[in-house]
Amino acid sequence: MAWASPLYTKGAVDRAGAAFIDPTTSAEDRELALVVINNWRSCHGFPLNTFQMNLRKRAGKITADALIAQRTKRLSSIEAKLRNYPKMPLSTMQDIGGCRAVLPSVEHVYSVSDLFLETRTKHTFVKVDDYLAKPKTSGYRGVHLVYRYHSDRKQTYNSLKIELQIRS
């Protein structure tokens, strides 16, 4: 399988995101923006797969009952997020690529999260959002870890953000 590579600068990605939600954008310019956005989404595939394999391995050390999934954010979800946060540049969106572990208990969630937080890695840790300690207003509970991908061999993907969602 050939992995997509970034074809556009982050500036071009940000301009495409802005054009995509601008109601005055022409149909032709919107189509061009979609090409850029879809390339940006596709580029997260390789780093996402790397983190999904790591999540599967680490969750497996804690419990055999982990359910692991990965996804690239849908275009409609990207559009909604850009509309809700109009000052957010698309290139800084942390969850274009995301993977999730659904675990049997809160204790398992913290154990898997701790494995990530305590392990040295070349990937750059960005932040943790602990929605177990402070649940979202919707009631959602889980731990989100955000990393910037880094590799000496696959440098084309360096700095792409991947979000790990760990929940019970």
Side-chain angles (χ1 to χ4, degrees), residues 5-20:
S5 294
L7 300 177
Y8 306 95
T9 66
K10 288 183 179 179
V13 169
D14 294 339
R15 288 188 296 277
F20 188 61

Side-chain angles (χ1 to χ4, degrees), residues 15-165:
R15 288 188 296 277
F20 188 61
I21 63 167
D22 184 346
T24 66
T25 299
S26 69
E28 181 180 334
D29 286 344
R30 186 173 166 85
E31 285 299 315
L32 292 172
L34 278 172
V35 169
V36 175
I37 294 168
N38 283 325
N39 172 256
W40 183 246
R41 289 175 62 238
S42 296
C43 291
H44 286 75
F46 183 84
L48 177 56
N49 190 60
T50 300
F51 275 93
Q52 176 267 137
M53 290 187 306
N54 283 328
L55 182 58
R56 186 174 303 279
K57 181 179 174 183
R58 291 177 187 172
K61 288 180 180 180
I62 303 300
T63 178
D65 295 326
L67 175 64
I68 310 297
Q70 72 179 44
R71 63 97 182 111
T72 304
K73 195 171 196 76
R74 292 178 316 212
L75 191 57
S76 60
S77 298
I78 291 171
E79 181 178 11
K81 194 165 193 176
L82 289 172
R83 288 190 191 286
N84 287 336
Y85 303 96
K87 294 188 188 280
M88 175 190 293
L90 177 56
S91 69
T92 66
M93 197 176 286
Q94 71 186 28
D95 60 346
I96 298 291
C99 49
R100 172 180 296 156
V102 180
L103 305 165
S105 71
V106 169
E107 292 77 21
H108 289 103
V109 170
Y110 279 123
S111 294
V112 172
S113 299
D114 289 345
L115 280 178
F116 274 92
L117 294 170
E118 295 168 358
T119 303
R120 293 188 63 181
T121 178
K122 286 186 177 183
H123 308 296
T124 305
F125 172 74
V126 176
K127 71 175 189 163
V128 61
D129 289 316
D130 186 343
Y131 299 118
L132 291 171
K134 293 183 179 181
K136 288 188 169 189
T137 56
S138 66
Y140 173 83
R141 294 170 44 94
V143 174
H144 292 193
L145 305 173
V146 179
Y147 285 88
R148 285 187 192 277
Y149 179 85
H150 181 82
S151 172
D152 295 332
R153 293 182 298 157
K154 294 283 190 177
Q155 294 179 359
T156 189
Y157 304 111
N158 283 353
S159 85
L160 294 180
K161 291 181 184 174
I162 301 295
E163 181 178 77
L164 307 176
Q165 300 174 0

